[in-house]
Amino acid sequence: IREIPRPEPYRISDEEKAAGFKELFDGISLFNWTGNTTDYQVEDGSVVFKPNSGGTGNLYTREEYGDFILRFDFQLTPAGNSGIGVRAPLGGDAAYGGMEIQVLDDGADVYKNLKPYQYHGSLYGYAPAKRGFLKKTGEWNQQEVIADGSRIKITLNGEVILDTDINEVTKDIPAEKIQKGLLNKNGRIAFLGHGSVVKFRNIRIKEIR
């Protein structure tokens, strides 16, 4: 009987390790994660969201993070829709209990009439990202998310597409109408399933301060 080779665990580069990064996903198990571990599956070194009957679901880090640099690769399917939860509580609606960075195949025709702050890389509901830097569906993208106090910075495939300050984008909004999760000091990082197959890999993090 021919043995099926096991995947090698993912290891961050010596350079990133020296800079203080650590792996959030080793390419083999969901040891560092909790939540919907049924629809989020490990496949070929990636975390793959496979929605059951079009369902949704969130996968959360076991630990909480406040200020950090998060780096990962992701791959979208046509019209793919997902999100990155930042400083989110465990359970509830992570996109509002914390905040959401949109992950979206925003060139798909079905999304042509979205609001600017709903496209890929945007701080959902508040700050629009620059568009035009996503690779074609089926190709891997590289993204970095920096959450440093009230500052949120997103780099996609080497291009800064969002550099915003929560205090600035909410300064003209009445306090009672500001999403409370925007003001969280810490919480979980989460992958937010929205009914589409999306893949993530090479997930690593560095805490700031």
Side-chain angles (χ1 to χ4, degrees):
I1 300 174
R2 185 173 62 89
E3 290 189 4
I4 299 174
R6 295 182 178 181
E8 291 292 322
Y10 168 70
R11 293 290 181 259
I12 62 175
S13 68
D14 291 340
E15 182 181 7
E16 286 191 328
K17 186 178 292 185
F21 283 87
K22 66 177 184 179
E23 299 139 10
L24 273 180
F25 172 58
D26 62 4
I28 296 175
S29 74
L30 294 176
F31 177 78
N32 292 319
W33 300 82
T34 188
N36 185 353
T37 55
T38 298
D39 293 335
Y40 283 91
Q41 303 171 15
V42 178
E43 184 177 278
D44 297 328
S46 302
V47 177
V48 185
F49 181 58
K50 295 185 173 181
N52 182 9
S53 302
T56 61
N58 300 334
L59 187 71
Y60 300 86
T61 55
R62 289 190 180 276
E63 295 185 21
E64 293 191 348
Y65 298 92
D67 297 336
F68 59 83
I69 302 171
L70 174 70
R71 293 176 178 170
F72 59 94
D73 302 344
F74 68 94
Q75 184 186 98
L76 291 166
T77 49
N81 185 1
S82 186
I84 306 298
V86 174
R87 298 174 183 154
L90 184 62
D93 192 334
Y96 294 94
M99 67 185 91
E100 180 177 3
I101 305 300
Q102 183 73 294
V103 175
L104 187 75
D105 174 26
D106 58 20
D109 190 62
V110 67
Y111 300 130
K112 64 183 179 181
N113 294 321
L114 293 183
K115 291 180 168 53
Y117 53 68
Q118 292 178 301
Y119 289 107
H120 180 85
S122 297
L123 174 58
Y124 189 86
Y126 290 89
K130 290 195 297 184
R131 298 181 64 194
F133 300 96
L134 275 172
K135 295 181 180 179
K136 295 178 181 178
T137 54
E139 296 184 16
W140 286 100
N141 295 269
Q142 292 75 46
Q143 185 153 304
E144 178 183 83
V145 176
I146 299 179
D148 187 2
S150 61
R151 184 186 179 199
I152 304 295
K153 182 179 179 181
I154 309 297
T155 302
L156 173 65
N157 297 322
E159 182 73 22
V160 176
I161 60 172
L162 180 72
D163 193 349
T164 192
D165 191 298
I166 293 168
N167 293 334
E168 284 296 312
V169 298
T170 59
K171 66 182 181 180
D172 296 324
I173 302 174
E176 67 274 11
K177 292 188 178 181
I178 297 174
Q179 181 176 313
K180 301 304 181 187
L182 289 177
L183 308 179
N184 290 352
K185 300 299 183 184
N186 55 63
R188 315 291 179 114
I189 294 168
F191 293 133
L192 312 181
H194 294 314
S196 307
V197 175
V198 180
K199 298 181 179 181
F200 301 92
R201 70 180 186 188
N202 299 348
I203 308 162
R204 61 266 195 216
I205 193 167
K206 174 184 178 178
E207 295 186 76
I208 304 172
R209 292 190 290 273

